[in-house]
Amino acid sequence: MTALSLSQVSYQYPDTDLPVVKDVTLQISSGMRFGLFGPNGAGKTTLMSLMTGILTPQKGEIKINDITPADTMKYRRQFGYVPQDFAFYPELTPAENLEFFGAWLGLDDKQIKQQTHHLLSRFGLWDVRNKAVSKFSGGMKRRVNIAIGVMNNPSVLFLDEPTTGVDVQSRIAITEFLLELSLQGTTLIYTSHQLKEAEALCDYIALIDDGKIIACNTLSHLLEKDHVATLEDLFLKLTGKDYRD
Amino acid sequence: MYLFWISIKKEFIQLSRDRVGLLLMFVMPVLLAVVMTALQNSVYRMVNENRINMLVCNNDTSGQTLTFVGALKNSGMFSIQVAKDKSTAETEKIAEENDALVILTIPQGYFYNLQKQVAQRSAIAMQGFGLKEQDSAVITFDSMQLQLMFNPVLQETYRYSIKASVNGVMQVMQNRMMIDQLYRSINGEEIPQDVAQKLMPDAISINESTVHAGSIPNPNSTQHNIPAWTLFAMFFSVISLGSNMVREKVSGSFLRLKIMPSSLSVLILSKQVLFLAVTLFQTVLIFSIGRWVFPLLNLPALNLPSSYLALFVVSFISGWCAISYALCVGIIAQTQEQANGFGAASIIILAALGGIFVPGFAMPELFKQVSYISPFKWALDGFYNVFLLNHSLSKIFLNILPLLALIIILQIIIYLTLKRKNLI
């Protein structure tokens, strides 16, 4: 079953000459751990913004579980989003943050309490649930960021560099958690510059450059096809070594 | 509704943990209200009550000094303290202790000297009327003058008024002494009281009225400073609310909320409701201080208006206008520095123009006209109408109308900016 589909999606920012995303077509099945990679300025973030409904494509169609962004609230209920930034309130405790975002995700009081207890315990934050997040380490903040993204048990989870700046322990914990979610049927849409971590997490890879998908298949298939040993080698082979920013 | 309350709760927690914001919104305006009222109190009393503290340093032993001081008191312009036979240093010390703005010194023998001058003029008059033979003797008198010392804060116009008042009283006394002397010279006896009364001219009565019947009378220092600093506190929420908005935008939480299955308008509404409640709390707090704490500090107590509804409406609309402005700054600003810098500077300029620091009646004519561009002026006039004229709700409509118009404009700007930035 298709969890996320993009059909001939293009997007051009106002006051620019060229589109940033050009005729992108993707079919992502349920439970897939999909990695989207590309150099800086390739169009990853724009594509992610299009999929999450932050931006609206000028051309093409996007669906999550067969629902289009036109059905706004229903579409938004299908997915969770973990941005690269710490997009929460540092003055609040993790429990207060989860309560607030849980309500925004449409959960009721009982569901919020259950999920807060479950997620804070799962991420090792239960003991510090009443401490302001501003006093947390980078790894703890990353875990809070992810916990907010999965509060509503989404069927599709978008992750934008979810492990940036964390220590090995936090990274392993986050990766294990994401694999666990995938086993439960959650589709992961993951983007990062940490290609080694991506190899461990993703089972399907797409490389984007200059707004176009230049490779898209299982990791093993891509490595075999291009006769390279690692995702990083593949990345460099397809996108080159020149600076992009 | 659940989402709305959770959003209000989140705003409340954020605000309660924002110590700097709380200091700026509550402690600073309370301190400013107390300090400014205390500083301006004597000036306001001088302007409004027209009673100037005068210390009369009396070195004359004649009984006429009592008549003179009594006449000065009856002029209604002075609040008089009398010091007898004091040195200059002692006099100045007493003046300082009693907040005297003027020291009037009556030299020793002044009225005796004056009496002799009157007697001489009377003799000249008698000779002129042919009732007395020409007297060849030339009498000379020591030049004696009353001495006025002014506090430097007194403006020139006040000094002229004070001199004119003292002169007026002296003129009346001299006239009376002259009539007494002439009567005595002609009839050889003291003038009867009823005759003296008839001979003395009545004080010229002047009928007073206000040019603009509907204009607002000058407030006292409390009536000005309490609403003024309450307004300042309301608008200074730009620091807390503006930064709060910018932080949400910069951290990405605003964008995160945008893609959640709820409307961002709930967040904007919850911010407005909470901060509006804060502005009303500021009003209650600062007004209560004016009402109950000021008398303990020897400052005039805030007299409560007859229409509490009108007071509530003016406070509510002023608060909403302040919140709309803060929200607008927060949404347009790209960084916290921009929000804080522009927010604070614009509030201080608008407050100065609107008559918060220097009340409108004391402004130069040009600035009086310019003040009408400031929402502080509209709101302050609303409070003046409620407190000074006891206006009802229907009569303050004209004051709140421009504030309402500004609220609508600011809310439209907020909506359009959010839309343009793809946040709603």
Side-chain angles (χ1 to χ4, degrees), chain A residues 52 54-55 73 76-77 81 83 85-87 89 91-92 96 99-101 103-104 109 112 145 148-149, chain B residues 2-3 6-7 9-10 13-14 17 247-248 251-253 256-263 267 422:
Chain A
T52 52
I54 294 170
L55 297 174
M73 293 302 166
R76 289 177 184 175
R77 270 185 221 111
Y81 175 52
D85 299 320
F86 294 132
Y89 301 98
E91 313 90 328
L92 270 57
E96 288 162 350
E99 182 189 41
F100 174 71
F101 284 105
W104 274 76
D109 190 38
I112 288 171
N145 212 21
I148 293 167
Chain B
Y2 176 65
L3 178 63
I6 288 285
S7 302
K9 183 181 168 186
K10 171 240 160 196
I13 294 170
Q14 278 187 299
R17 291 175 190 168
R247 277 202 305 271
E248 271 186 290
S251 72
S253 32
R256 191 173 207 167
L257 292 174
K258 174 189 153 69
I259 57 171
M260 288 187 172
S262 302
S263 170
L267 185 73
N422 197 30

Side-chain angles (χ1 to χ4, degrees), chain B residues 245-272:
Chain B
M245 280 299 302
V246 172
R247 277 202 305 271
E248 271 186 290
K249 281 191 303 177
V250 172
S251 72
S253 32
F254 218 86
L255 207 59
R256 191 173 207 167
L257 292 174
K258 174 189 153 69
I259 57 171
M260 288 187 172
S262 302
S263 170
L264 260 184
S265 53
V266 176
L267 185 73
I268 302 293
L269 187 66
S270 66
K271 284 182 192 297
Q272 299 206 38

Side-chain angles (χ1 to χ4, degrees), chain B residues 145-365:
Chain B
Q145 287 178 326
L146 293 173
Q147 195 189 354
L148 279 169
M149 283 168 67
F150 295 108
N151 187 307
V153 299
L154 271 180
Q155 291 175 1
E156 200 64 22
T157 47
Y158 276 97
R159 296 184 187 202
Y160 281 127
S161 302
I162 293 164
K163 279 193 272 186
S165 263
V166 175
N167 263 332
V169 170
M170 278 309 299
Q171 283 296 334
V172 171
M173 280 196 73
Q174 277 186 324
N175 289 346
R176 175 67 194 257
M177 286 161 85
M178 180 64 91
I179 288 167
D180 286 355
Q181 184 61 45
L182 284 170
Y183 191 93
R184 209 179 298 120
S185 302
I186 294 165
N187 299 311
E189 59 181 41
E190 292 297 316
I191 186 168
Q193 200 62 33
D194 59 327
V195 177
Q197 289 289 343
K198 282 175 191 161
L199 287 174
M200 284 297 290
D202 288 336
I204 296 163
S205 72
I206 299 167
N207 191 17
E208 283 183 57
S209 67
T210 311
V211 177
H212 302 290
S215 63
I216 302 168
N218 289 346
N220 66 27
S221 56
T222 300
Q223 285 164 333
H224 169 72
N225 281 300
I226 288 295
W229 295 109
T230 303
L231 283 170
F232 191 76
M234 286 175 173
F235 276 86
F236 228 72
S237 60
V238 72
I239 300 294
S240 192
L241 180 54
S243 324
N244 167 309
M245 280 299 302
V246 172
R247 277 202 305 271
E248 271 186 290
K249 281 191 303 177
V250 172
S251 72
S253 32
F254 218 86
L255 207 59
R256 191 173 207 167
L257 292 174
K258 174 189 153 69
I259 57 171
M260 288 187 172
S262 302
S263 170
L264 260 184
S265 53
V266 176
L267 185 73
I268 302 293
L269 187 66
S270 66
K271 284 182 192 297
Q272 299 206 38
V273 168
L274 182 87
F275 276 86
L276 196 51
V278 168
T279 61
L280 291 176
F281 181 64
Q282 287 172 322
T283 310
V284 171
L285 176 73
I286 300 174
F287 280 38
S288 302
I289 287 170
R291 175 73 181 160
W292 289 290
V293 180
F294 272 20
L296 305 176
L297 303 173
N298 244 347
L299 296 171
L302 184 72
N303 58 317
L304 293 176
S306 58
S307 172
Y308 287 105
L309 180 63
L311 177 61
F312 173 77
V313 170
V314 174
S315 307
F316 183 88
I317 298 294
S318 304
W320 194 11
C321 188
I323 296 313
S324 303
Y325 182 76
L327 214 48
C328 201
V329 169
I331 281 169
I332 292 171
Q334 305 285 337
T335 62
Q336 252 179 279
E337 289 75 19
Q338 275 181 15
N340 290 349
F342 175 78
S346 61
I347 292 306
I348 290 169
I349 291 167
L350 286 172
L353 288 177
I356 300 297
F357 306 120
V358 176
F361 67 83
M363 282 182 174
E365 199 51 45

Side-chain angles (χ1 to χ4, degrees), chain B residues 116 119-128 130-141:
Chain B
K116 283 200 293 187
Q120 191 185 32
R121 284 192 202 112
S122 165
I124 293 166
M126 294 287 283
Q127 287 160 13
L131 297 170
K132 194 178 175 190
E133 284 180 16
Q134 197 76 26
D135 190 350
S136 58
V138 177
I139 307 163
T140 55
F141 300 103

